[in-house]
Amino acid sequence: MNQEPVKVLVWFEGQHPADIYPQQIHGTIAQALNESGQVEAQIAEMQDPQQGIVDSVLAETDVLIWWGHLKHEEVSDETVGRVVDRVVLGGMGFIALHSAHYSKPFKTLMGTSCDLGSWREEAEPEHLTTLLPDHPIAQGIPAQWDIPQTEMYDEPFDVPKPDEVIFHSRWDRGEEFRSGCIWRRGEGRVFYFRPGHESYPIFDQPLVQRVILNGVLWCAQRT
Ligand code: ZN
């Protein structure tokens, strides 16, 4: 088995107010992954050369984590093409977090609109159920768990039928969502994980960090 650290690039579209995440979202995620000892994570932003997807780095990246929200359309088709080729032809893993359901690389990999049924930002708790407790992405995650403050998404989520749905979410007002889904695309693996709105400290939560680490190991084809 390959014991080398998994090389991860955490991509971020740009600045958010730093009151929730002093290191920004990408820095928070990368630090948690690096503390695991199983991953070498670095960060990139859209304002960096080649929109943060430098060819020489991309070629060495095992898993690309994507966080975008307001600037999806600013990502060039050329950048998207290089990312998608690296997944489909090169076997790189791709993890889309939260509002990256609308990112151009994810929509290209899915081939659908990736629209939500609806959404609300009201800081209500999200109740997650782990549907596949034996899946590698669910290791160390309880059968039922909550995130105290979230933005709500509702079905239908316009994606192709996932290979597996690992986590399901519901909210007290009745909305539901497939919050952890995986697909295979060519040589690569894709994981979508819903939690992670920028206004609440979700990426600081140990269970969220564990899911992302598990997702990295699965997308890197280590599990
Ligand atoms: Zn959001």
Side-chain angles (χ1 to χ4, degrees), residues 129-148:
T129 299
T130 302
L131 299 174
L132 298 178
D134 295 331
H135 193 278
I137 293 178
Q139 294 312 296
I141 306 299
Q144 307 282 339
W145 51 297
D146 282 3
I147 296 175

Side-chain angles (χ1 to χ4, degrees), residues 2-103:
N2 186 350
Q3 299 291 339
E4 292 291 304
V6 177
K7 292 192 172 62
V8 172
L9 184 64
V10 188
W11 188 94
F12 181 66
E13 68 178 13
Q15 295 288 308
H16 283 302
D19 52 342
I20 301 290
Y21 294 108
Q23 306 179 77
Q24 299 292 343
I25 285 174
H26 57 339
T28 302
I29 293 169
Q31 180 178 352
L33 288 172
N34 283 326
E35 286 172 356
S36 77
Q38 301 177 74
V39 173
E40 280 178 15
Q42 57 178 312
I43 59 175
E45 298 184 18
M46 181 142 56
Q47 66 189 17
D48 295 339
Q50 290 195 277
Q51 295 199 305
I53 306 295
V54 175
D55 283 323
S56 57
V57 175
L58 185 63
E60 297 290 315
T61 296
D62 298 313
V63 179
L64 176 59
I65 299 177
W66 198 272
W67 205 97
H69 177 212
L70 298 173
K71 299 181 179 177
H72 298 311
E73 290 308 313
E74 295 177 30
V75 178
S76 74
D77 291 342
E78 189 271 339
T79 299
V80 174
R82 290 187 295 113
V83 168
V84 170
D85 283 354
R86 179 85 181 92
V87 174
V88 173
L89 305 176
M92 181 180 73
F94 185 84
I95 298 178
L97 295 174
H98 187 61
S99 43
H101 73 88
Y102 257 159
S103 66

Side-chain angles (χ1 to χ4, degrees), residues 152-173:
M152 182 283 298
Y153 286 3
D154 200 7
E155 296 277 351
F157 181 25
D158 182 26
V159 289
K161 186 175 188 300
D163 294 349
E164 311 271 12
V165 179
I166 301 160
F167 303 111
H168 176 270
S169 296
R170 63 179 175 79
W171 285 263
D172 293 335
R173 291 200 218 173

